[in-house]
Amino acid sequence: MRGSTRKSSGRGFDSVPADDGFRNYMSRKIELQRKQFGLVLPPPPQLHPEDRSSLGVSNEDLQREQTTDANGSCVDVRPESQFAEGSSIDNVPPTQTKKLVRFHKNLERVCPAPTSVSDVLENLKQRHSKAHKSSLRKRKFGKMSSSHEKQLHNDDSAANDGESQSHSSSFSSMRGILDKLQKRHDSYSLRRKRTAEPVLEISEDDWSVFPQKNSGLRLDPERLDFGDGLELDESMMSHCHAELAGKTIQRIADASPLTQLMDSPSSLDDSFTYRSKEADSNNDADADCVVVKSTSTANSQQHRNEYSSEKYEGFEPNSPTYLQSGGSLDVDVPESGEIERHSCMGSYENKRNPAETSTSVIPKRSIRPDLFFSGIVVLVNGHTNPDATTLMRLLHKHGEAAKPTPVCRPEWITESVEKGALLPFGDYLLQDVMDAKAPRTKSLKSFFGADAASAHSEADADRCIETDPSKSTYHINGLVRTVGNDPNFLESYFSNSRLSYIGSFKQRVKAVEAAGTRPPKAGSQRFVLLVDLDCFFASVALKNFPQYRNAPVAVGHSPTVDLKNADGIQIKVPSPSKVTNSSSELSTCNYIARKFGVKKGMFLGDAIKLCPQLVVLPYDFPQYESVSGIVAEKLHFFADQFNGFVEQVSCDESYIEINVSPQDHTGQPLDNFLRSLAERIRLAIFEATDCTASVGVGRNKLLAKLAADKVKPDASCVVKDWQDFLDGLALRDLHGIGRKIERKLTAHSLCTVNDIWELGGDAERVVGEIVGPAIAQKIVQFCNGKDDRPVRPQLRKTIGAECNYGVRFDGLYGPDYMIKGLADEVEKRMTTVSVRGSKLTLKIMKSKDPTKMPEKFLGHGRCENVSKSTDIPLTRNCEVFCSAALKLYEKLGVDKESIRGMGLVVSSLESDAEDGSSPSKLSSWLKSDQKKSLVEEVKGRNSPLEHQNDFESNVPRYSQLDQDVLTELPEDILKEVKSMYGKSAESPPRRATAPSIHSSRPKQGRKVEKTISIPGQASVKRMLKLAMVKSGKDKLECNNDEFTLSQLDCLPLETQLQIANGDDVTLKSAATFRPSSRRSIATNNIDGLESNSVDNHNNKSTCLFQKSRGFYYQNIQPLQRFIKSNSHPDYHDIKLVLDFLTVCVEEHRLEDVIVLLRSIKSMQNGWDVACYEHMREHVVRGVYRSRGYSIDTVWLGL
DNA sequence: ATCCTCCCCTAC
DNA sequence: TAAGGTAGGGGAGGAT
Ligand SMILES: Nc1ccn([C@H]2C[C@H](O)[C@@H](COP(=O)(O)OP(=O)(O)OP(=O)(O)O)O2)c(=O)n1
Ligand SMILES: [Mg+2]
């Protein structure tokens, strides 16, 4: 296999250093384990104080390295030692300081105990300062650091000089918190000392909400075997775990299968070969990009690490299975020294999510009702919101007492105070404590709809696990659940499918179109960054289960084993996975597991064969959602500084386009600037989420993506010379070239970029004959380093739902029922994004051999795909979808026994008429006399290079709308269209297809030219209207005149907005299926509709409600003007702004919030400091409540 | 040419 | 015994 040079340089993860190896290796291991215990520890032993790499590099260093690069085009700043030395230590996230100090007594088993509380605090301080700095340096400059304090202090000034202002301010804010802690120390020292004693004073009553004994036990099979875990007290348990942890560490190191793998040449098949040139890329002089690599977690992959989709029998009858093509079975997997599945690598204390701060409490009955905290002592272990002082005040006021116990989130306190009573803290236990009870998939219930929005609430997510309905999850009436026998199959399927989650992500959370506020400065250059989180699902899983950080880990529907503890309570633990034939798919796996040949999408059974000690962790969709949101916020923050755009391409991947002007990188070479920007982004992400990311930088998407792939994981790369960079690259690695196209090209002996180069001017023609003109053009352009794909959120063209798993029509429920379920689902999804569609497609997977068992349990097996589509009236009504789909189903005439999957897709979408384009505005558009096709408008928007000077007109100009289309849409008809099917429950479709609509339809072929509004967007205009209504200055002008203002107040904000603005509001869900009553109506209707739609087959009405472009221009700017002009705000004005901020926070528009807050801060009029601070705190609380983390106001300049 | 329909392919 | 979706790009071939 080519690329061996690179591989050896990257031997990172667990490799034993050749020199004084094992002892140092072990001590680092243990040190890492200690850190994972989340405890305050003395500085690590100095392994190599003389090691220069531990110091990090200053900017001067960087420049020096850069200049040696004169003729070459790449610098790899990784010192070789980085991979061998000190790696584990520096892998520890700087968030360590947030962790809880608890059970000091037990701690002594694993590390020297601090002698006093002052020591603890001092340590905290030092560790924070160190963690911060070393991580800064490490991440910025790719140096590992196992250094001591002095060196760091010496380095101080250099760091601050070269670093952005924001870093130091962030630092100082943390510092401030620590100082506060120090101050609090005196008054709380007595209590703190007491907390050092292990405690077990929980009454039986309380026990039910405090299950962590079980959870502690579950990690230790030996204890479970005793069957008397409850007899142990916590101190003993912790003790045991600590010791056990030590043993486990020892065993891992002994076993060291990783080491062996690292040093042996990869035995993976060459069919996965990736980057043939890579063998050379470690040679600085020849290389073509700048690489910053900050950890040694793994060498770079030499092969595709995704499981070949050839296993999809349905698509490729003759293809070999992935095992044949992957040939990975001969990977050397040692027999001895396996990691014990159940042995805990740390005590249960370290299962805490390190990013979370916790509060330790013990409940007791209180006598005075207002002293509901009496009998409780609280230990705040880190940065909380509200801060420790506030919490202490609240506690004191309400009777805090003594003794620590379970670990809670601070809301337990705040919400108790709010309610005026002691709330059971079960709901506030830290997530990992909950997790321990039942490590099952956390679902967003459905990724769509209101559920998704509220899924940010941690409490909700936690309760998901609690309220586990007792039904058997696998069986129904003794049968395996299928679409045919389980009426609720689809619902639970969609909420547990990872593919459904990642597939729908991009369009569901379409990014905000902020930024681009100024035209790019003259002389600025466009760059594209690709930010991709490393093994995303696995990284998140490891936040939940940090004890497995050093083990090979995969994410899947974890096979669990039911165990009973002494109380007879059923608990679930990860199974030992003796299953070697499970067809459960692994979503992804960490880089340790990848060394064994485990790949994304691989069957669990196959993975276990490759890696018997593989740990399978459950999905956590709510957390993917929140990590993703946090990352997006960070990226917008950076993009905004360079007049940039962010396109979130999936839950773990985003492109950023920036325009860099010479002023932006004053003093330093452009490459240095880009490199440090990339590292700053990575650092910001890591600090906020504990997840590592890789960043690629290039002139376009293609190069950015390739660069990131090249250095992944946990590294960044700046492409300097595209030609050198692409030299030798396999065509397969280009975006859009997959297995099939690769095969076609290979058949004509076109394998690498160089092969295309050699074709010269003929390339496009030659390749075109093989793969078609469009793809050929793309390939040739890519090979020449060109890629004009814009970095912009894209308009949705289709929306649908399908299920090709568990489809067996051998039960009560037939294809009609499934179609109904799909139609419901599609309507639900369309409702949440406010679109309607006028074309429906039914897709069916038909088994080629219905008698044959597919390779995958309940899978579709080898199939033929068929589909048929039809026009429908513009709607999102599931009844319409359903009846149209049934007709399509009849037409396709597929035998129901052979159906293995079905799907419904709606296209020709049009967005609802909402959001910033009031009818009056629309009618003004109608009066325009300019003629320009909307198509041009939309396309222009998507082409960044041609329209960069168009920014100041982010709001669409009505002069650019197609007048022909518009004039054919009188307002009354627009209204009619709008209300057509909106209230499906109450006013069934029927009348909607008034002939007038169809006859007024413009020419066909106008599908692309609609824009679709961002769902749930709050416009200032709408907020103002609501404010007017509430303050009595305006009347409710809608037909919902039965509302009183106080009733209005009770409704959710969004509904209030709708009512105040006279939208069509249906307070009941339009998506619910009511079988009996509605069916007859529906049937009648649908017949009528069908005939109409046939009549008007080619007469589509084009609804021109234009989405507001540029949230900023439409909302923030007007609001700023409002604030400026309204210098003496009254209650309603402030309430308005607060409500607006609330909505923005809910919609993840943090960057808008920040802009707005900053402008209020700088206000000199009646919007004074108190007002500003109130708003700021409102936002901080809102973010914390909905997103679960605190924003750093100092960092954000607030 | 340019459209539409019914696929296939690809990336997450 | 698990949760093999979703959405965009585009080719082939037919209708205009
Ligand atoms: N066949 C696949 C591919 C991906 N995913 C999910 C899991 C991944 O974590 C996430 C992101 O996909 P990536 O391709 O970015 O893969 P990772 O982030 O896991 O790994 P890498 O480090 O290669 O980016 O999508 C999945 O469920 N099934
Ligand atoms: Mg990724």
Side-chain angles (χ1 to χ4, degrees):
Chain A
M1 180 154 183
R2 288 170 291 190
S4 56
T5 311
R6 182 176 179 76
K7 186 173 172 69
S8 68
S9 85
R11 75 180 148 112
F13 184 76
D14 268 325
S15 66
V16 178
D19 44 12
D20 53 347
F22 194 71
R23 248 164 52 92
N24 282 336
Y25 170 77
M26 276 305 295
S27 55
R28 282 197 301 278
K29 271 286 184 198
I30 291 167
E31 176 62 17
L32 180 57
Q33 286 298 312
R34 287 177 183 173
K35 294 189 184 189
Q36 286 185 348
F37 277 63
L39 302 161
V40 175
L41 298 168
Q46 289 170 23
L47 299 173
H48 294 284
E50 74 286 0
D51 183 357
R52 178 186 163 278
S53 72
S54 65
L55 284 169
V57 242
S58 67
N59 267 359
E60 291 111 55
D61 291 330
L62 267 183
Q63 293 196 3
R64 213 177 306 126
E65 287 182 66
Q66 182 72 23
T67 51
T68 62
D69 184 32
N71 49 352
S73 44
C74 167
V75 174
D76 185 340
V77 297
R78 290 171 292 185
E80 204 52 27
S81 61
Q82 161 197 342
F83 296 104
E85 306 292 347
S87 53
S88 315
I89 285 174
D90 286 276
N91 243 346
V92 175
T95 46
Q96 283 304 329
T97 43
K98 291 182 185 171
K99 290 185 180 171
L100 176 68
V101 184
R102 200 164 67 134
F103 295 123
H104 294 220
K105 209 168 185 176
N106 306 316
L107 259 181
E108 292 168 15
R109 305 290 171 179
V110 283
C111 65
T115 50
S116 70
V117 179
S118 325
D119 284 357
V120 172
L121 289 170
E122 193 47 42
N123 272 337
L124 245 183
K125 262 189 173 174
Q126 288 181 3
R127 292 198 64 77
H128 173 261
S129 109
K130 188 169 117 179
H132 178 85
K133 294 187 183 184
S134 72
S135 86
L136 198 77
R137 251 171 224 71
K138 174 186 66 171
R139 302 205 163 268
K140 176 161 179 171
F141 305 119
K143 296 289 175 180
M144 308 308 298
S145 119
S146 58
S147 56
H148 44 48
E149 295 297 324
K150 261 187 225 158
Q151 288 170 316
L152 284 164
H153 287 307
N154 291 342
D155 223 14
D156 243 336
S157 51
N160 282 337
D161 289 348
E163 206 38 72
S164 79
Q165 211 49 39
S166 24
H167 277 118
S168 36
S169 50
S170 155
F171 174 59
S172 57
S173 82
M174 267 311 285
R175 202 74 199 206
I177 290 162
L178 292 171
D179 287 335
K180 234 188 248 171
L181 252 180
Q182 172 78 69
K183 278 192 210 121
R184 298 219 59 76
H185 148 238
D186 291 324
S187 48
Y188 281 90
S189 59
L190 185 58
R191 253 182 225 127
R192 279 179 173 276
K193 282 214 173 99
R194 269 197 243 137
T195 67
E197 297 160 18
V199 171
L200 196 64
E201 286 191 15
I202 301 175
S203 69
E204 279 306 314
D205 292 346
D206 296 319
W207 187 252
S208 58
V209 293
F210 176 41
Q212 87 250 44
K213 265 201 177 177
N214 305 341
S215 46
L217 282 171
R218 78 164 181 83
L219 294 161
D220 187 343
E222 293 175 36
R223 292 284 163 266
L224 281 174
D225 288 344
F226 292 142
D228 60 355
L230 288 175
E231 304 304 317
L232 297 172
D233 76 22
E234 286 194 67
S235 75
M236 288 172 66
M237 281 170 53
S238 300
H239 182 161
C240 293
H241 285 302
E243 291 211 330
L244 208 125
K247 274 185 204 150
T248 313
I249 296 160
Q250 177 82 46
R251 258 182 295 169
I252 293 168
D254 284 342
S256 170
L258 309 170
T259 12
Q260 296 172 32
L261 274 176
M262 297 303 313
D263 293 331
S264 63
S266 166
S267 49
L268 297 176
D269 187 288
D270 267 352
S271 65
F272 287 107
T273 297
Y274 183 41
R275 271 173 257 125
S276 54
K277 184 67 194 311
E278 207 158 84
D280 306 328
S281 69
N282 208 38
N283 181 340
D284 286 359
D286 278 355
D288 39 67
C289 56
V290 179
V291 176
V292 178
K293 181 117 183 161
S294 65
T295 78
S296 60
T297 21
N299 64 323
S300 66
Q301 296 299 103
Q302 297 300 304
H303 49 78
R304 303 219 151 253
N305 51 29
E306 192 145 4
Y307 185 74
S308 163
S309 60
E310 296 188 9
K311 67 181 168 158
Y312 277 46
E313 308 101 291
F315 301 127
E316 187 61 31
N318 299 319
S319 63
T321 69
Y322 77 96
L323 277 179
Q324 285 157 341
S325 72
S328 321
L329 276 178
D330 54 351
V331 167
D332 181 18
V333 179
E335 299 292 321
S336 62
E338 289 178 18
I339 298 168
E340 272 292 332
R341 220 61 192 348
H342 291 281
S343 70
C344 173
M345 294 169 64
S347 78
Y348 71 88
E349 288 181 37
N350 76 356
K351 296 195 289 114
R352 182 167 313 110
N353 178 343
E356 282 177 286
T357 312
S358 44
T359 316
S360 184
V361 289
I362 257 195
K364 265 189 187 163
R365 281 310 94 178
S366 155
I367 298 162
R368 263 178 61 185
D370 59 329
L371 298 185
F372 44 78
F373 280 118
S374 98
I376 292 171
V377 71
V378 173
L379 168 64
V380 176
N381 75 312
H383 183 65
T384 55
N385 187 338
D387 64 24
T389 322
T390 312
L391 288 179
M392 289 305 178
R393 243 184 256 128
L394 290 172
L395 287 162
H396 185 74
K397 187 169 164 201
H398 298 283
E400 177 195 19
K403 308 266 185 175
T405 355
V407 183
C408 288
R409 287 177 284 111
E411 291 93 318
W412 175 68
I413 297 170
T414 51
E415 288 173 24
S416 287
V417 172
E418 245 169 61
K419 287 254 156 55
L422 187 65
L423 297 173
F425 54 79
D427 285 344
Y428 300 89
L429 288 175
L430 267 188
Q431 189 129 337
D432 48 346
V433 177
M434 310 292 295
D435 284 345
K437 280 199 314 185
R440 293 179 27 207
T441 300
K442 286 189 205 166
S443 76
L444 286 178
K445 287 167 194 161
S446 168
F447 310 128
F448 308 87
D451 285 344
S454 64
H456 289 302
S457 151
E458 281 173 44
D460 272 1
D462 286 349
R463 271 189 288 271
C464 269
I465 286 172
E466 284 284 37
T467 59
D468 189 8
S470 56
K471 63 188 174 203
S472 153
T473 43
Y474 295 111
H475 297 95
I476 183 164
N477 304 326
L479 294 170
V480 173
R481 283 172 194 271
T482 64
V483 171
N485 63 28
D486 177 2
N488 301 315
F489 186 92
L490 286 183
E491 197 187 350
S492 73
Y493 175 73
F494 285 125
S495 59
N496 285 303
S497 162
R498 79 185 201 282
L499 288 176
S500 182
Y501 177 78
I502 61 176
S504 60
F505 184 92
K506 179 174 179 178
Q507 286 296 351
R508 189 163 45 83
V509 301
K510 188 152 42 191
V512 193
E513 269 183 86
T517 50
R518 299 152 287 154
K521 290 196 193 94
S524 67
Q525 285 181 292
R526 176 191 193 237
F527 283 95
V528 175
L529 290 84
L530 183 274
V531 179
D532 187 336
L533 300 188
D534 303 322
C535 50
F536 182 44
F537 287 11
S539 300
V540 171
L542 286 171
K543 281 164 61 128
N544 294 334
F545 299 91
Q547 67 268 36
Y548 295 119
R549 272 198 196 277
N550 294 320
V553 163
V555 175
H557 290 282
S558 343
T560 54
V561 162
D562 288 344
L563 289 176
K564 282 195 170 132
N565 65 19
D567 270 355
I569 296 171
Q570 192 96 0
I571 58 172
K572 286 182 183 297
V573 304
S575 91
S577 296
K578 293 297 168 228
V579 276
T580 50
N581 55 0
S582 165
S583 67
S584 168
E585 272 172 52
L586 298 177
S587 173
T588 191
C589 56
N590 65 0
Y591 280 79
I592 303 177
R594 289 184 198 190
K595 296 224 182 349
F596 290 82
V598 180
K599 292 176 172 44
K600 297 175 215 174
M602 190 178 248
F603 285 167
L604 171 62
D606 298 327
I608 291 289
K609 286 177 199 150
L610 293 171
C611 177
Q613 64 273 57
L614 185 72
V615 176
V616 180
L617 298 177
Y619 293 100
D620 186 350
F621 295 114
Q623 212 181 350
Y624 306 149
E625 202 75 355
S626 95
V627 169
S628 203
I630 294 169
V631 170
E633 268 157 29
K634 297 287 173 204
L635 298 188
H636 278 287
F637 177 83
F638 284 100
D640 290 349
Q641 296 170 15
F642 302 100
N643 201 14
F645 289 89
V646 176
E647 177 185 343
Q648 244 184 309
V649 104
S650 78
C651 55
D652 85 322
E653 200 168 318
S654 295
Y655 286 99
I656 308 174
E657 177 185 298
I658 54 171
N659 290 297
V660 183
S661 65
Q663 300 98 291
D664 288 327
H665 58 101
T666 40
Q668 54 180 332
L670 188 57
D671 289 321
N672 264 9
F673 164 78
L674 292 171
R675 195 190 336 179
S676 91
L677 176 64
E679 288 302 303
R680 271 160 54 209
I681 290 174
R682 286 175 5 84
L683 176 63
I685 291 174
F686 183 77
E687 295 210 316
T689 67
D690 246 6
C691 292
T692 63
S694 297
V695 175
V697 187
R699 302 303 302 255
N700 53 42
K701 279 187 171 183
L702 172 80
L703 295 172
K705 173 72 176 156
L706 287 171
D709 283 350
K710 177 169 183 154
V711 297
K712 195 166 248 300
D714 199 13
S716 66
C717 175
V718 179
V719 176
K720 301 175 72 179
D721 180 324
W722 66 265
Q723 205 149 5
D724 288 347
F725 187 80
L726 292 179
D727 191 16
L729 192 78
L731 289 174
R732 170 71 221 253
D733 294 329
L734 299 177
H735 181 94
I737 313 288
R739 193 168 46 93
K740 302 282 190 166
I741 295 178
E742 178 192 34
R743 193 176 301 172
K744 281 189 194 173
L745 292 171
T746 311
H748 293 74
S749 50
L750 297 173
C751 299
T752 66
V753 171
N754 306 58
D755 296 333
I756 302 294
W757 287 349
E758 279 164 23
L759 291 174
D762 259 1
E764 205 161 316
R765 186 182 54 77
V766 174
V767 180
E769 277 162 19
I770 304 169
V771 297
I775 295 175
Q777 190 191 26
K778 206 158 81 172
I779 291 177
V780 173
Q781 286 194 353
F782 283 178
C783 288
N784 289 311
K786 294 203 189 86
D787 177 7
D788 53 13
R789 285 174 296 162
V791 177
R792 295 287 189 287
Q794 282 162 335
L795 291 179
R796 181 197 279 273
K797 296 193 175 106
T798 67
I799 188 164
E802 60 198 88
C803 172
N804 306 304
Y805 174 84
V807 181
R808 300 296 124 101
F809 292 119
D810 50 5
L812 276 176
Y813 305 91
D816 51 339
Y817 189 88
M818 178 167 179
I819 285 173
K820 181 65 199 158
L822 290 169
D824 280 347
E825 182 68 27
V826 171
E827 179 185 304
K828 191 163 87 191
R829 296 180 189 185
M830 292 178 79
T831 306
T832 69
V833 295
S834 302
V835 289
R836 291 154 213 265
S838 55
K839 187 177 158 186
L840 182 79
T841 305
L842 173 71
K843 301 168 62 164
I844 296 183
M845 290 190 84
K846 180 183 185 299
S847 177
K848 285 183 170 159
D849 182 0
T851 60
K852 193 171 162 245
M853 275 275 267
E855 187 189 359
K856 183 176 176 61
F857 179 63
L858 287 184
H860 51 58
R862 199 188 272 193
C863 282
E864 193 183 330
N865 297 329
V866 289
S867 73
K868 187 141 185 67
S869 55
T870 186
D871 285 319
I872 53 173
L874 183 70
T875 186
R876 73 168 75 101
N877 187 316
C878 65
E879 305 288 355
V880 178
F881 298 152
C882 188
S883 84
L886 284 171
K887 293 200 169 165
L888 293 171
Y889 174 70
E890 298 296 332
K891 281 189 196 157
L892 281 172
V894 180
D895 174 23
K896 76 166 186 173
E897 310 297 333
S898 64
I899 293 177
R900 291 291 175 272
M902 290 209 279
L904 286 183
V905 176
V906 177
S907 46
S908 295
L909 300 181
E910 300 179 9
S911 98
D912 285 3
E914 280 179 46
D915 280 329
S917 46
S918 64
S920 62
K921 190 168 182 183
L922 206 71
S923 59
S924 75
W925 284 350
L926 285 167
K927 285 173 197 132
S928 150
D929 54 11
Q930 300 267 337
K931 307 206 177 199
K932 198 165 181 185
S933 149
L934 257 179
V935 181
E936 290 169 44
E937 164 67 8
V938 169
K939 282 190 179 156
R941 288 284 155 196
N942 279 338
S943 158
L945 295 176
E946 296 162 25
H947 287 258
Q948 275 176 347
N949 292 323
D950 227 16
F951 289 132
E952 63 273 18
S953 60
N954 241 352
V955 180
R957 284 177 293 200
Y958 59 75
S959 59
Q960 289 184 301
L961 299 177
D962 183 336
Q963 200 218 7
D964 287 337
V965 178
L966 288 165
T967 46
E968 293 188 55
L969 289 170
E971 204 167 321
D972 57 328
I973 288 178
L974 286 174
K975 258 194 184 146
E976 196 170 356
V977 170
K978 182 177 152 192
S979 60
M980 239 179 11
Y981 301 115
K983 308 185 277 184
S984 58
E986 280 73 32
S987 61
R990 152 193 42 238
R991 273 297 320 105
T993 44
S996 60
I997 297 173
H998 295 289
S999 60
S1000 71
R1001 285 183 172 191
K1003 279 166 259 164
Q1004 58 175 296
R1006 296 247 174 241
K1007 237 179 313 180
V1008 194
E1009 58 263 51
K1010 311 123 201 168
T1011 38
I1012 292 165
S1013 69
I1014 294 171
Q1017 200 174 74
S1019 86
V1020 165
K1021 219 180 261 175
R1022 291 164 62 76
M1023 297 291 303
L1024 282 169
K1025 173 74 182 173
L1026 176 60
M1028 300 280 266
V1029 168
K1030 282 192 182 178
S1031 60
K1033 289 178 200 158
D1034 209 329
K1035 283 198 181 123
L1036 282 175
E1037 63 179 22
C1038 61
N1039 42 7
N1040 293 305
D1041 37 21
E1042 64 270 25
F1043 279 104
T1044 65
L1045 284 184
S1046 58
Q1047 279 174 324
L1048 188 65
D1049 250 325
C1050 299
L1051 297 168
L1053 182 61
E1054 184 50 37
T1055 315
Q1056 292 186 30
L1057 282 169
Q1058 290 171 357
I1059 291 168
N1061 287 278
D1063 297 356
D1064 275 319
V1065 183
T1066 305
L1067 290 176
K1068 290 163 207 153
S1069 161
T1072 32
F1073 174 39
R1074 261 152 271 150
S1076 55
S1077 63
R1078 275 173 85 192
R1079 183 162 286 159
S1080 56
I1081 303 170
T1083 319
N1084 293 339
N1085 283 335
I1086 279 152
D1087 287 338
L1089 285 172
E1090 185 69 17
S1091 57
N1092 264 338
S1093 76
V1094 169
D1095 285 348
N1096 299 289
H1097 187 85
N1098 284 327
N1099 275 332
K1100 270 179 227 137
S1101 138
T1102 304
C1103 184
L1104 286 172
F1105 299 108
Q1106 183 80 20
K1107 182 191 85 175
S1108 56
R1109 284 198 176 273
F1111 187 81
Y1112 177 82
Y1113 286 106
Q1114 188 124 32
N1115 298 293
I1116 305 294
Q1117 225 174 44
L1119 195 50
Q1120 284 172 334
R1121 276 198 292 270
F1122 170 78
I1123 289 167
K1124 216 173 268 172
S1125 61
N1126 191 354
S1127 53
H1128 295 290
D1130 64 7
Y1131 166 78
H1132 285 295
D1133 298 329
I1134 291 172
K1135 182 76 168 48
L1136 164 76
V1137 176
L1138 285 175
D1139 285 348
F1140 180 75
L1141 289 170
T1142 303
V1143 175
C1144 284
V1145 167
E1146 278 167 8
E1147 293 183 0
H1148 305 193
R1149 300 181 183 283
L1150 202 54
E1151 68 284 10
D1152 294 304
V1153 169
I1154 291 162
V1155 169
L1156 194 56
L1157 282 178
R1158 282 187 189 148
S1159 63
I1160 295 173
K1161 188 181 184 183
S1162 65
M1163 212 51 71
Q1164 304 291 331
N1165 56 20
W1167 301 80
D1168 57 12
V1169 177
C1171 170
Y1172 163 74
E1173 280 176 358
H1174 179 69
M1175 290 182 175
R1176 188 188 60 195
E1177 292 316 306
H1178 178 81
V1179 166
V1180 170
R1181 272 197 307 277
V1183 171
Y1184 189 77
R1185 202 184 298 273
S1186 67
R1187 314 296 294 284
Y1189 70 100
S1190 309
I1191 52 176
D1192 187 330
T1193 49
V1194 179
W1195 164 286
L1196 294 170
L1198 296 178

